[in-house]
Amino acid sequence: MQKMMDALVKPERAKGLILTQVPVPEPGIGEVLIKIHKTAICGTDEHIYNRYTWSQLQINPPMVISNEYVG
């Protein structure tokens, strides 16, 4: 059985996010997998949630979001 993790996902080109289970990614060559201990929502995540102009041009759903974490 594949290992799963919680993630904030932008599922479609609409306002909102969902908290769901996604597969734990497999690191590639030159990459590491970090176990996350704490995470937060930042201004970029708010832009993605509200689908402001910047995120309409930069975010191609479906995708896991967030870049504020401690591992």
Side-chain angles (χ1 to χ4, degrees), residues 33-61:
L33 184 63
I34 300 170
K35 182 176 181 177
I36 305 301
H37 293 279
K38 301 278 183 183
T39 190
I41 294 174
C42 70
T44 301
D45 298 329
E46 179 191 0
H47 285 262
I48 295 168
Y49 174 88
N50 286 306
R51 202 153 190 279
Y52 295 145
T53 303
W54 171 87
S55 68
Q56 290 178 32
L57 300 172
Q58 302 297 319
I59 304 301
N60 296 310

Side-chain angles (χ1 to χ4, degrees), residues 2 13-15 27-29 34 38 40 61 64:
Q2 189 171 21
R13 293 182 181 273
K15 185 175 179 178
I29 295 172
I34 300 170
K38 301 278 183 183
V64 174

